[in-house]
Amino acid sequence: MEIQEHYTGHVQPGGAAARRRLDALTVTKISVGRMDNNAYLLTCRRTGDALLIDAADDPERLTDLLGHDEDRPRLRTIVTTHRHPDHWQALGSIAGQTGSYTVAHPLDSEPLPVPPDREVEHGETIQVGESALEVVHLRGHTPGSIALLYRDPVGHPHLFTGDSLFPGGVGKTGTPEDFRSLLDDVENRVFGVLTDDTWFYPGHGDDSTLGNERPKLSEWRARGW
């Protein structure tokens, strides 16, 4: 599989993956499926252990992303950010092939094709080799939507937001109450505690930074979506 080493945060359906090299982790982003879902492979550079965020679709492409060489990453964990089917179409296949440990929030675990081996709550951590990801529960897009935060000790934070936060707004919600819940959580648990240089990776489309989006928060609340 072609992998672009110049990371911009943009990938295209059926196109090349994009890889970002951090000091302790690599982040590889790929678009899969008919709904242009992003899947993210995080690999510990010291141990070779890997974690996949959202086995969304196209199991063949996700398998190719892991590679076939003897030194390929060892996929240990698959995290599903939320219950919507476009984010777990390949979960059963990839978990079955690799024997990976599966993770989700308990409020979103029931619809998944593979019962989670571990259910996580807000504030817990998930290991990727020698690095840790913090679970951030963002209530509103679905009851159990989670984001994953990596605090790079030698750089800025990295946040994988699923469908809870995008450039230009929060994720889709079904009621005004759900919208307020989601925006409250995004304001308090994301913008309220993380710096503007935090880079975030959404479940669809391009990446952004909290600094780019922070000035728009009052506009999002006023428009109601």
Side-chain angles (χ1 to χ4, degrees):
M1 171 179 289
E2 181 184 359
I3 298 179
Q4 299 172 352
E5 296 290 345
H6 176 65
Y7 189 87
T8 65
H10 178 73
V11 291
Q12 296 186 14
R19 178 172 292 150
R20 183 175 208 168
R21 296 183 183 275
L22 309 179
D23 182 65
L25 293 176
T26 62
V27 178
T28 308
K29 177 178 182 177
I30 189 171
S31 172
V32 295
R34 294 177 297 171
M35 297 184 69
D36 187 17
N37 283 74
N38 295 326
Y40 299 94
L41 181 69
L42 279 57
T43 305
C44 176
R45 299 185 67 178
R46 296 180 178 88
T47 67
D49 290 344
L51 176 148
L52 180 65
I53 300 174
D54 285 343
D57 210 335
D58 293 344
E60 297 85 1
R61 279 170 57 78
L62 294 177
T63 300
D64 287 346
L65 190 65
L66 289 168
H68 303 280
D69 299 332
E70 290 187 1
D71 61 348
R72 66 186 180 275
R74 295 178 296 276
L75 185 60
R76 303 294 195 190
T77 310
I78 304 173
V79 180
T80 302
T81 58
H82 64 288
R83 66 169 66 175
H84 288 159
D86 60 309
H87 288 262
W88 50 254
Q89 291 296 308
L91 177 60
S93 175
I94 299 299
Q97 289 180 47
T98 61
S100 301
Y101 197 73
T102 60
V103 179
H105 191 279
L107 293 179
D108 272 18
S109 64
E110 185 177 353
L112 303 183
V114 177
D117 295 304
R118 178 185 175 192
E119 294 180 332
V120 291
E121 300 280 359
H122 179 72
E124 294 186 33
T125 59
I126 303 169
Q127 287 297 126
V128 189
E130 296 180 0
S131 298
L133 305 177
E134 299 174 27
V135 176
V136 184
H137 187 195
L138 301 172
R139 300 157 290 189
H141 180 65
T142 65
S145 288
I146 57 174
L148 298 175
L149 172 63
Y150 172 58
R151 298 181 185 269
D152 188 346
V154 297
H156 55 75
H158 298 259
L159 182 68
F160 300 86
T161 58
D163 283 1
S164 291
L165 177 64
F166 296 95
V170 295
K172 183 178 179 180
T173 53
T175 67
E177 292 76 19
D178 286 343
F179 168 75
R180 288 192 292 270
S181 173
L182 179 54
L183 188 54
D184 285 349
D185 274 358
V186 165
E187 285 191 325
N188 295 327
R189 296 181 172 185
V190 175
F191 286 93
V193 296
L194 296 174
T195 52
D196 281 352
D197 61 355
T198 301
W199 187 284
F200 73 88
Y201 307 75
H204 305 264
D206 293 349
D207 305 349
S208 186
T209 66
L210 296 189
N212 286 340
E213 308 305 318
R214 192 183 299 274
K216 309 168 190 174
L217 286 169
S218 59
E219 173 190 335
W220 299 351
R221 189 173 292 277
R223 76 188 183 193
W225 57 274

